[in-house]
Amino acid sequence: MSFLKTEQTPLLIAGPCSAESRTQIFSIAESLAHSNVSLLRAGVWKPRSRPGSFEGYGEEALGWLAESKKYFGLPFAVEVAEAKHVALALEYGADAVWIGARTTVNPFHVQQLADVIKGTPIPVFVKNPVTPDVDLWMGAIERFERVGVDHVFAVHRGFTSYQSGSKYRNPPNWVVPIELKRRRPDIKIICDPSHISGNRVLVAEVSQKAMDMGFDGLMIEVHPNPDSAWSDAAQQITPDSFGALLKGLVIRNARTIDLSASDELEYLRALTDGVDTEIIELLARRMELSEKMGRLKKRCNMPVYNPERWAEIVESRSQQAQTQNLSPDFILNLYEKIHHESVRRQLDILESKDNLPKD
Ligand code: PEP
Ligand code: MN
């Protein structure tokens, strides 16, 4: 049966980073066959950052996956990066393919893959590009949609970062998948906590966070013996840990059948809408005051920006924030934006050639 018909929520994809042997694939398929996992994942062509690392067993590994599917009935998915990978994946009966983060960055490659997938019924999972670029991610998804692929999923696996000191291998930058979901609420987003974490101790908490954010599924690297894995050893978890992770996972639903809770939520949302209207009206009033100050500064030939005044705003607003139980960092970020807009409007006034309105 197609994994698409299971309607399992969240959609669970699990399996090793790489297919390493027939024994390994059979062992993991046996462990996952009676779980809620809909798809077994295993890389057979591995995009390695440096040459000389293990690059996958290719067609031979597809044979192990096809055989294990026959034996345990678990559908499987592999990563494809070249036209010949697609042809082989289809020949061996893969149930889905995924596009890796290093491939999504390249529209030429993505288009070539879309052109060979065209006309086949295979679902495609598109990982985010390594850069936090929502347009590039959307563009890759659209290339598959345009050739008529019916089932295109997005996979969030985090983004390369130069910032040292992050606890993540690929920091999640949650605003990027949230923006994708805002633009395309119809596309299912699967979270890959393994590649985000890079470290097995973080996989459960990132999985829970994805559920809390309303993601539609998880793709998790599971290996019978993670420490001896040939790729991504540090982030893979055992089938037992995977079972424990699923057991502890709080699954959230966008809708609730609890009618009194949904009434209360509707009421709270209506109140929030009202407060947001007030916030926008207040911001408009604040900008009117800024413009009045701009006209005054123009008349008196004063500069727009006054560092002492800005320092005073930062200080006093942070203190007020604390008395209201708001984080000073949050208020500082917000005021930077407000101040920036206020300065921009005042500069427009100073630079305009119009006659000064009298106020
Ligand atoms: C993988 O899924 O093993 C993989 C190589 O992922 P990514 O493209 O996200 O780095
Ligand atoms: Mn991996």
Side-chain angles (χ1 to χ4, degrees), residues 4 23 61-62 66 68 90 103 124 176 192 210 251 255 271 282-283 293 310 313 324 326 328 338 353-355:
L4 295 167
T23 315
L62 278 173
S68 92
L90 289 165
T103 305
V124 179
V176 179
D192 170 348
I251 313 283
R255 279 169 209 17
L271 291 182
L282 284 173
L283 284 171
M293 286 189 280
W310 174 232
I313 290 181
Q324 298 286 340
L326 292 166
I338 292 174
K353 304 237 178 330
D354 301 347
N355 289 334

Side-chain angles (χ1 to χ4, degrees), residues 145-165:
E145 289 178 330
R146 282 191 178 202
V147 297
V149 176
D150 283 335
H151 300 285
V152 185
F153 298 80
V155 181
H156 168 230
R157 49 77 79 196
F159 304 90
T160 302
S161 165
Y162 265 126
Q163 267 175 6
S164 55

Side-chain angles (χ1 to χ4, degrees), residues 43-47 55-59 62 76-94 96-100 103 109 112-113 116-117 122:
V44 303
W45 296 284
K46 298 304 299 174
E55 291 189 333
Y57 277 110
E59 187 171 355
L62 278 173
F76 71 94
V78 293
E79 173 172 347
V80 290
E82 293 177 8
K84 65 172 193 266
H85 297 165
V86 175
L88 282 166
L90 289 165
E91 186 185 323
Y92 281 84
V97 291
W98 82 82
I99 311 300
T103 305
H109 278 155
Q112 277 169 10
L113 293 170
V116 289
I117 286 174
I122 200 152

Side-chain angles (χ1 to χ4, degrees), residues 19-177:
E20 297 166 1
S21 68
R22 184 177 176 278
T23 315
Q24 175 228 28
I25 290 298
F26 269 63
S27 156
I28 208 74
E30 184 176 21
S31 315
L32 301 175
H34 302 292
S35 66
N36 289 332
V37 167
S38 297
L39 266 177
L40 170 71
R41 63 144 286 154
V44 303
W45 296 284
K46 298 304 299 174
R48 307 311 298 274
S49 300
R50 310 269 308 272
S53 319
F54 171 62
E55 291 189 333
Y57 277 110
E59 187 171 355
E60 187 182 0
L62 278 173
W64 307 330
L65 287 162
E67 214 188 319
S68 92
K69 177 174 151 183
K70 229 186 248 166
Y71 205 82
F72 297 105
L74 189 57
F76 71 94
V78 293
E79 173 172 347
V80 290
E82 293 177 8
K84 65 172 193 266
H85 297 165
V86 175
L88 282 166
L90 289 165
E91 186 185 323
Y92 281 84
D95 298 275
V97 291
W98 82 82
I99 311 300
R102 293 164 196 76
T103 305
T104 309
V105 283
N106 187 325
F108 288 126
H109 278 155
V110 173
Q111 191 57 51
Q112 277 169 10
L113 293 170
D115 290 340
V116 289
I117 286 174
K118 182 177 179 174
T120 73
I122 200 152
V124 179
F125 291 79
V126 182
K127 289 209 175 189
N128 64 255
V130 285
T131 48
D133 183 338
V134 76
D135 284 323
L136 199 54
W137 194 4
M138 288 257 301
I141 289 169
E142 284 162 3
R143 285 176 197 278
F144 291 104
E145 289 178 330
R146 282 191 178 202
V147 297
V149 176
D150 283 335
H151 300 285
V152 185
F153 298 80
V155 181
H156 168 230
R157 49 77 79 196
F159 304 90
T160 302
S161 165
Y162 265 126
Q163 267 175 6
S164 55
S166 169
K167 66 176 181 170
Y168 302 109
R169 174 182 177 195
N170 292 295
N173 222 333
W174 295 100
V175 291
V176 179

Side-chain angles (χ1 to χ4, degrees), residues 17 41 46 195 221 232 235:
C17 178
R41 63 144 286 154
K46 298 304 299 174
H195 289 89
E221 286 189 340
D232 291 349
Q235 71 196 31

Side-chain angles (χ1 to χ4, degrees), residues 186-348:
D186 56 315
I187 298 238
K188 288 197 161 47
I189 305 198
I190 312 301
C191 180
D192 170 348
S194 307
H195 289 89
I196 290 175
S197 302
N199 175 348
R200 66 181 67 105
V201 301
L202 296 175
V203 173
E205 69 179 61
V206 176
S207 303
Q208 184 59 57
K209 176 111 182 181
M211 294 298 96
D212 297 348
M213 308 270 256
F215 276 59
D216 303 289
L218 295 169
M219 178 192 268
I220 300 185
E221 286 189 340
V222 182
H223 190 289
N225 186 4
D227 282 329
S228 60
W230 295 4
S231 58
D232 291 349
Q235 71 196 31
Q236 302 205 56
I237 58 175
T238 61
D240 281 353
S241 310
F242 178 62
L245 183 157
L246 293 184
K247 215 163 160 211
L249 205 61
V250 181
I251 313 283
R252 309 206 181 265
N253 264 315
R255 279 169 209 17
T256 171
I257 48 163
D258 177 341
L259 288 181
S260 74
S262 83
D263 279 357
E264 191 175 343
L265 186 61
E266 211 166 295
Y267 170 68
L268 293 173
R269 282 182 173 153
L271 291 182
T272 307
D273 289 346
V275 171
D276 282 349
T277 305
E278 283 178 40
I279 291 176
I280 289 177
E281 285 169 2
L282 284 173
L283 284 171
R285 271 179 52 201
R286 197 189 190 285
M287 290 308 150
E288 263 171 42
L289 293 173
S290 295
E291 290 184 357
K292 279 191 180 169
M293 286 189 280
R295 290 195 281 273
L296 200 73
K297 287 174 189 171
K298 184 171 185 173
R299 199 161 67 218
C300 305
N301 226 358
M302 289 167 77
V304 159
Y305 177 57
N306 178 336
E308 279 136 51
R309 168 70 179 150
W310 174 232
E312 181 197 310
I313 290 181
V314 168
E315 179 60 28
S316 68
R317 304 319 184 247
S318 305
Q319 273 177 16
Q320 284 173 16
Q322 267 161 315
T323 65
Q324 298 286 340
N325 224 356
L326 292 166
S327 118
D329 272 355
F330 163 60
I331 289 299
L332 181 60
N333 281 333
L334 192 62
Y335 266 89
E336 274 170 355
K337 292 208 162 52
I338 292 174
H339 187 245
H340 187 268
E341 175 64 6
S342 165
V343 166
R344 187 189 69 76
R345 283 175 181 245
Q346 295 192 21
L347 283 175
D348 275 358

